[in-house]
Structures are given as structure tokens and as C-alpha cells.
Amino acid sequence: MKKFFSLLLLITNLISPQIKFEKSPVVRIRIINTLDSIKVIFNNSWKANKDDIKFSKNNEALFFVDNDEIKIVYDDKIISAGKDIFFQSDDKGTLKIKNVPFGVGWWWQNKEDRTYEGEIHFYLNKEKKIEVVVHLPLEQYLKGVVPYEIGNDSPLEAFKAQAVAARSEAIMALQSKIFSGEYHDLTSDVECQVFSGNDKRNLITDKAVEETYGLILSENGKPINAFYSSNCGGHSELIKNVWGDRPVSESYNVAHFDWEDSTFLDLSIEQNIHDWILSNPPAFCNPNIHSDLPSWTKNNFRWKREFTVESVSQMLTKKKDFGNLIDIKILKRGISGRVVHAKFIFEKDSIEVKGELKIRQLFSPPLRSAAFIYEKIDNNFIFYGAGWGHGIGMCQSGAITMANNDFSFIEILKHYYRKAELIKIYD
């Protein structure tokens, strides 16, 4: 069993004044902004900011856009609500919103019913759609993030590492306003952090948030973005190769194997990344070695995608007349083997693309990661890849294995954020 690092050594009081809070701040999370009708089921008594609008347990209502305002249908009657209406529950209740979109633009895009607590706002936005925003204390928000970001069947110490990372990300987003809009501070999908309400919460995920209350990652006493991804494929990436325009914390100037052995292998070299992807290397995030990893990790460590020449050509050119794809020239890879600059050569023209995410998103649905190799066999392009996500910061799959092997959440965080320490930003 690993010895836990002392909290006294790692939690410091070097708090930057601009990010010190007296208590958990209230955050505004946008959960919907593209629908013009929304069905809501109230699980308790709720009251609107307009005295004549009240709902009781099991009441159902339809919110829809009509004549530049939001109206509500309840009990076969139309209630005119206006452009801004919010609801509160006297008994800290919940409500269910039907068919909430999620994963928009990715291969898992879908809709599902989701349950929320807090103060629920409905706005008519500039696109004449209903924008739904949840107001919650940050710690309550995190309880709706942790089980969705790392799954609700992970070990406690992995949940705690995820809670600290998610709290750090949220604090930095609040400071930078990178995801903010007229009515919201944060969004609820993958461009920010996945916040999906209460349905996957359990006692252990809540406990992880509570036992790390107020803790975030810092360097030199200042908070850092605690980036994370589902599976690094066995090796993390330097931030400059993925997000060259983002602030560079010292932890992100280091890229390493997801393993205790830090033997160097430069995966930016074509032969090395080819052998690496087709191998079964020791890594915390390798489900072929660690059989206790959750089922959602199984197809992420190594994956395969196959396209016909015709389908991939149309996909990459958005049906422009470039002819068929002939070849792909990899112009630059990051240290983890992720492609960050590539040239796609067609019969009539070529496309040069820079950026790990831009390259992934050329494909529909997007590739799981840009750590890939490919071969052309007959009329098919076959892609073999490693990992799911950008590979910056914490590998969630690896964190689960570390927790299963008795690493503490502090040791997990120190493995993935090697120059960082913990600070507490409110009591």
C-alpha cells in the first residue's frame, strides 16, 4: 500500500486574495439553450418569481416560445410568463426536465431526462430559444459533475481527485469568464464540464466532494486549470501542442507515461508511435492489464475506425469537389504521438490543418483522440488510435486504477499535476 502524502505538506495557506471566498460561491450553469419547447415535471412544490405561478408535486408543464416571450401550458391553460422567469422550491426540492440535449456534436450526442435542484431560470435568449440556467452553490454543482465526468462506479479516492480537478476548473472558469454569457457563468456539456444534475449522484460521490471541500490545485499559490480527459492512451501531452493560446502552468510543461516507470520514449517519431499504438504497454489506464477498470474505459485505450475512400473524402471536404482522398501527411506530432499538424491530400486539392481538436473534428463523428496511425487497404482508410481526449492533465481511467491500488487522491493528483499543490479557497 502506498503511503499517503501528508496533508500538512501539500495543503498550503498561500491564497491569492483575488480568489479567496468566504464560502462556496453561487454559480450559474446553462443546461439548455437550443430548444423552443421544454417539458418540466415538478417533484415538489415550486413557486415562480410571479406570485400567480405555482406548481405542486407531480405537476407537469410545457414551456414554449410564442410572440417573443416564454409561455407555459398547465392544466390545458396557457400562462403568459414573459422573457425571464425563475422557480424556487420551498422544501429544497427537485424538478425533472425532459429530453435534455447532451454531447452535442460528438458521437454520443443524445437526449435524456435529467433532474435538477437549486434555483431554475428560464430566459428567452437572442436566438428566440429557451435558455435554462441553474443557480447553485459551487459545492452542490460539483455533486452533479463528479459522477458524470468519471462515472458513478469509481473508487472514493478517484472521486476525490476528480472533485478537486473539477473545482479547480470551475474556479478558473469563473475568474477567466471563458464560458460565461449574458445569463450564465458555466455550461453543462463537454466544452466546459459535464453537469447533469442529480440522477447519477450517490453517497460516495457526494462524500468525495464533501471531503475535499474548498480544495483546488495551485502553482505558486495561484489556482490552475486542472484539465483532464477520459483516457490518455498511456501518455500525456504537452499543453503547447494542444492549446497553444492557453496559460501554461508548470505542470503542463511535463508530459509522461501513465505509469510509475518514467522511461522516455519520444512518440512524435512515426515508428515509435506506430509500435506504441499497436502494442499493449503497461499503463494505469490500460484495461487489458487492469481488469477492474469500468466498462466505459474498454474501447478508449485503443480503438479502430474504418472508412471507405468515398465516405472519408466527403466527410473531410464537406462535399466540396476535391476528389477522393489519396494520402495523409503527418507534419507534426506532440510528444504523446497526437497529431497537431496534418495535410490531407486529395485528387484535386489538399487541406492543411493545425490543432489537435480541429484534426479530430474533421471526422464525423470526431475521432476519439489525435493519437492515431492509419493504413489504406483497397478502398478503405483504417485508423488505429490511442486514448480518448486531449491527454492534458489527469487521465480519469488511470486515476481509477491508482485508486484501486491504494493511492490516495493526493498521490493521484501529484502524479498528473506534477508541479502543483493543494490550497483551500474557502472554509
Side-chain angles (χ1 to χ4, degrees), residues 61-76:
L62 177 69
F63 292 67
F64 69 100
V65 177
D66 181 52
N67 289 330
D68 286 338
E69 69 173 2
I70 300 170
K71 293 182 179 178
I72 304 172
V73 175
Y74 170 66
D75 197 22
D76 295 327

Side-chain angles (χ1 to χ4, degrees), residues 150 154-163 394 396 399-400 403 409 412:
I150 199 169
S154 300
L156 176 61
E157 294 301 307
F159 283 141
K160 290 164 76 171
Q162 179 65 66
M394 185 172 70
Q396 292 167 307
I400 292 170
F409 81 97
I412 294 170

Side-chain angles (χ1 to χ4, degrees), residues 33-36 65 70 123-131:
N33 70 320
T34 59
L35 304 179
D36 51 22
V65 177
I70 300 170
Y123 300 101
L124 182 66
N125 65 23
K126 294 177 182 177
E127 289 72 37
K128 307 303 181 185
K129 303 294 183 181
I130 302 174
E131 188 159 322

Side-chain angles (χ1 to χ4, degrees), residues 75 113 223 235 269 286 288 298 300 361 363 368 389 408 426:
D75 197 22
D113 301 347
H235 201 294
I269 298 172
N286 186 345
N288 303 316
K298 304 301 182 186
N300 297 336
Q361 290 183 326
F363 298 81
R368 290 180 182 268
S408 72
Y426 44 79

Side-chain angles (χ1 to χ4, degrees), residues 119-388:
E119 190 173 280
I120 317 294
H121 288 247
F122 297 81
Y123 300 101
L124 182 66
N125 65 23
K126 294 177 182 177
E127 289 72 37
K128 307 303 181 185
K129 303 294 183 181
I130 302 174
E131 188 159 322
V132 185
V133 179
V134 178
H135 292 206
L136 277 175
L138 177 59
E139 295 296 311
Q140 286 301 108
Y141 156 76
L142 293 172
K143 291 178 180 179
V145 171
V146 169
Y148 282 86
E149 281 290 2
I150 199 169
N152 64 350
D153 54 353
S154 300
L156 176 61
E157 294 301 307
F159 283 141
K160 290 164 76 171
Q162 179 65 66
V164 173
R167 188 181 292 108
S168 301
E169 272 288 274
I171 289 295
M172 288 300 289
L174 289 176
Q175 295 295 305
S176 68
K177 302 186 183 301
I178 187 172
F179 302 112
S180 68
E182 184 176 3
Y183 306 119
H184 65 276
D185 307 307
L186 306 171
T187 60
S188 61
D189 216 342
V190 291
E191 76 276 2
C192 181
Q193 298 188 108
V194 177
F195 167 77
S196 302
N198 289 2
D199 292 300
K200 288 189 178 180
R201 285 174 55 182
N202 58 44
L203 293 175
I204 299 177
T205 60
D206 281 4
K207 181 179 180 181
V209 175
E210 291 161 3
E211 291 191 356
T212 61
Y213 184 88
L215 291 178
I216 65 169
L217 288 161
S218 72
E219 289 183 9
N220 302 314
K222 296 181 179 180
I224 66 168
N225 290 100
F227 300 120
Y228 53 87
S229 61
S230 179
N231 190 298
C232 70
H235 201 294
S236 62
E237 185 53 78
L238 299 174
I239 194 170
K240 68 179 183 180
N241 291 327
V242 177
W243 300 309
D245 58 342
R246 297 198 182 186
V248 180
S249 302
E250 292 178 23
S251 292
Y252 301 134
N253 283 323
V254 180
H256 54 85
F257 287 111
D258 191 23
W259 194 240
E260 293 177 281
D261 180 6
S262 58
T263 303
F264 179 74
L265 177 63
D266 188 353
L267 297 176
S268 67
I269 298 172
E270 287 300 319
Q271 189 58 54
N272 288 350
I273 187 62
H274 184 275
D275 295 344
W276 169 260
I277 287 178
L278 298 181
S279 70
N280 190 39
F284 287 128
C285 57
N286 186 345
N288 303 316
I289 296 174
H290 305 289
S291 58
D292 51 358
L293 276 168
S295 58
W296 55 266
T297 68
K298 304 301 182 186
N299 297 322
N300 297 336
F301 184 70
R302 293 292 182 268
W303 50 265
K304 176 182 175 182
R305 291 276 299 278
E306 187 169 346
F307 306 91
T308 65
V309 169
E310 292 78 14
S311 66
V312 76
S313 300
Q314 291 185 2
M315 182 185 303
L316 296 175
T317 61
K318 304 297 185 282
K319 299 184 179 180
K320 293 179 181 177
D321 186 18
F322 284 9
N324 285 331
L325 181 67
I326 298 173
D327 196 12
I328 304 171
K329 268 195 160 183
I330 306 301
L331 301 177
K332 183 181 178 183
R333 291 184 183 269
I335 197 170
S336 70
R338 285 169 168 78
V339 181
V340 296
H341 189 186
K343 187 175 186 178
F344 297 83
I345 302 169
F346 300 86
E347 292 172 325
K348 301 179 183 180
D349 207 338
S350 62
I351 300 172
E352 199 166 316
V353 184
K354 291 183 179 181
E356 182 266 353
L357 182 58
K358 287 182 179 179
I359 291 168
R360 281 199 279 154
Q361 290 183 326
L362 285 175
F363 298 81
S364 181
L367 298 179
R368 290 180 182 268
S369 88
F372 65 80
I373 58 174
Y374 77 96
E375 61 180 347
K376 185 180 180 183
I377 300 179
D378 298 326
N379 195 47
N380 294 282
F381 278 89
I382 304 171
F383 292 78
Y384 305 90
W388 181 2

Side-chain angles (χ1 to χ4, degrees), residues 15-21 171-172 174-175 220-223 425:
I15 309 296
S16 181
Q18 66 267 28
I19 56 93
K20 177 68 175 176
F21 300 92
I171 289 295
M172 288 300 289
L174 289 176
Q175 295 295 305
N220 302 314
K222 296 181 179 180
I425 57 170

